[in-house]
Amino acid sequence: MGDSRFRRICLGAALAVLALAVSGCAADAPQDFLNHPEGPIARKADSIWDITFFIAVVVFVIVEGLLVYSLVRFRHKPGRQAKDFHGNTRLEVTLALIPTLILIGLAVPTVNTLFDVAREPEGALQVTVTAKQFWWQYDYTDLGVTTANELVIPAGVPVFLRIEADDVIHSFWVPRLAGTQDAVPGRTNTLVLEADDPGQRYMGQCKEFCGLSHANMRLLVYTKTQGEFDEWVAEQAADAQPATGAAARGEQIFLEAGCVNCHAVRGTEAEGATAPDLTHFGSRTTFAGAIFKLANEEEDGELAAWLRNPPAVKPGALMPDYGLTEDQIQSLVTYLMSLK
Ligand code: CUA
């Protein structure tokens, strides 16, 4: 390979890496958290970042400034002889001391904040989050509500999450509201969340590689006023309405096709506990790790595609292809969408 060709390839690769890195600076991206902490917990974490970044910039400017100065000031000149010396104890001690003092100075607010955000707030809403390949289960332990992928919370109220995992290690992350917390089988980790405003929708995702559809293990957080939240809880805690009309045929297929081995629809014989609780499936906006939309009728196409062959649209999905006919799929879509 020619020298210039090699250099061009290197330059191209460097530009590609730079472009990728710069894309991380996109303003107002859904998961941008540096300039958009949207709750007290996120703001506390952000303030630590601000202090650290400010000190890092000052250190960078001083160190690079001295480096550039030395390069220019002491560059090679004809007749100039380099000085030959060994060590400078006072300088070395000073250079070890300055960073040590900076790190100790940073440790004080950092450790304070770590303990502060980890504490269980009084009057917090209690939710157990169970991470599974590749979706999230939410149990509102005091409210009798179980749902999946979309966490609904009242704004201005701290939420205390107990984070667990059923299979492998996952990690729960809603960048604008809090830091990350690992979900580890056999352990219960905790995380506090609090959102400022009602009517918001925050994106989140699994942040620990957990298998084929790790990238498809997303989640949403919806915020409501306390009143709206109480209404939502009342609806979600209720059993499913009896299926009528076209939905009744779908319900029959649902109960006979094997769906009930894994899924629950409270108020029916379906009591499976390994897959998402579908009692109020139609009230959600997404499904299957919040990657497919359920927002309107056109998008029901995504539900039909899912039922046709789940692993084909979401690699590694544990729900198998049940070989349903198109007719059965349409009935199931009607039934599932009726579960409001
Ligand atoms: Cu779950 Cu990555």
Side-chain angles (χ1 to χ4, degrees):
M1 196 188 317
D3 214 26
S4 74
R5 189 160 163 233
F6 178 69
R7 221 172 295 155
R8 251 178 298 155
I9 289 175
C10 284
L11 183 66
L15 284 175
V17 170
L18 186 68
L20 274 176
V22 168
S23 73
C25 303
D28 263 333
Q31 303 206 69
D32 171 19
F33 63 102
L34 289 177
N35 291 311
H36 297 279
E38 303 214 6
I41 302 290
R43 268 193 297 279
K44 283 175 189 166
D46 188 57
S47 68
I48 298 294
W49 154 266
D50 288 347
I51 301 169
T52 312
F53 186 70
F54 174 75
I55 294 175
V57 167
V58 172
V59 170
F60 178 83
V61 169
I62 293 174
V63 169
E64 296 304 307
L66 285 174
L67 183 66
V68 171
Y69 170 79
S70 306
L71 283 173
V72 176
R73 174 81 175 72
F74 302 109
R75 69 188 184 280
H76 174 71
K77 273 184 192 159
R80 181 184 271 178
Q81 185 70 40
K83 218 191 247 178
D84 191 14
F85 61 86
H86 180 79
N88 182 332
T89 309
R90 197 192 292 172
L91 185 65
E92 282 163 22
V93 169
T94 312
L95 289 184
L97 215 57
I98 294 174
T100 307
L101 289 176
I102 293 176
L103 288 179
I104 292 173
L106 275 177
V108 175
T110 304
V111 171
N112 262 336
T113 306
L114 277 177
F115 281 98
D116 189 23
V117 300
R119 200 174 301 129
E120 180 178 351
E122 242 173 85
L125 173 68
Q126 305 284 329
V127 182
T128 298
V129 176
T130 311
K132 313 193 192 201
Q133 283 173 322
F134 298 96
W135 59 282
W136 307 89
Q137 177 170 304
Y138 307 122
D139 292 294
Y140 294 67
T141 35
D142 300 332
L143 305 172
V145 170
T146 297
T147 184
N149 300 315
E150 297 175 8
L151 181 68
V152 177
I153 60 172
V157 176
V159 185
F160 191 67
L161 303 175
R162 285 183 173 73
I163 299 180
E164 300 171 352
D166 255 10
D167 36 41
V168 297
I169 300 176
H170 306 263
S171 188
F172 183 90
W173 192 27
V174 187
R176 288 206 171 165
L177 296 181
T180 71
Q181 183 56 282
D182 283 357
V184 181
R187 271 194 67 111
T188 302
N189 291 331
T190 64
L191 181 73
V192 183
L193 280 187
E194 184 176 337
D196 288 328
D197 302 312
Q200 302 297 311
R201 173 183 181 273
Y202 298 110
M203 287 180 69
Q205 65 184 66
C206 179
K207 197 227 69 195
E208 186 76 44
F209 182 71
C210 54
L212 271 183
S213 260
H214 160 67
N216 293 324
M217 188 165 166
R218 307 231 156 197
L219 67 110
L220 292 171
V221 175
Y222 282 102
T223 63
K224 293 183 181 291
T225 63
Q226 185 65 52
E228 290 165 350
F229 179 73
D230 293 341
E231 262 172 53
W232 179 83
V233 167
E235 285 161 17
Q236 297 288 315
D239 284 352
Q241 299 283 333
T244 54
R249 195 177 114 67
E251 182 185 44
Q252 200 185 346
I253 295 165
F254 183 84
L255 295 174
E256 286 165 3
C259 315
V260 294
N261 296 331
C262 301
H263 292 284
V265 175
R266 275 173 286 127
T268 73
E269 292 146 46
E271 290 172 348
T274 52
D277 184 303
L278 301 178
T279 311
H280 298 284
F281 177 77
S283 71
R284 299 179 204 149
T285 62
T286 57
F287 67 99
I291 59 166
F292 301 118
K293 289 194 199 121
L294 268 185
N296 61 46
E297 295 208 354
E298 267 162 54
E299 286 162 345
D300 294 349
E302 299 199 333
L303 182 53
W306 168 261
L307 292 171
R308 218 165 274 137
N309 187 352
V313 288
K314 185 177 176 185
L318 293 184
M319 178 165 150
D321 173 7
Y322 276 93
L324 299 162
T325 65
E326 284 307 305
D327 188 44
Q328 286 173 318
I329 288 170
Q330 281 319 313
S331 299
L332 277 170
V333 169
T334 306
Y335 171 58
L336 291 168
M337 293 306 290
S338 77
L339 296 170
K340 293 289 184 193

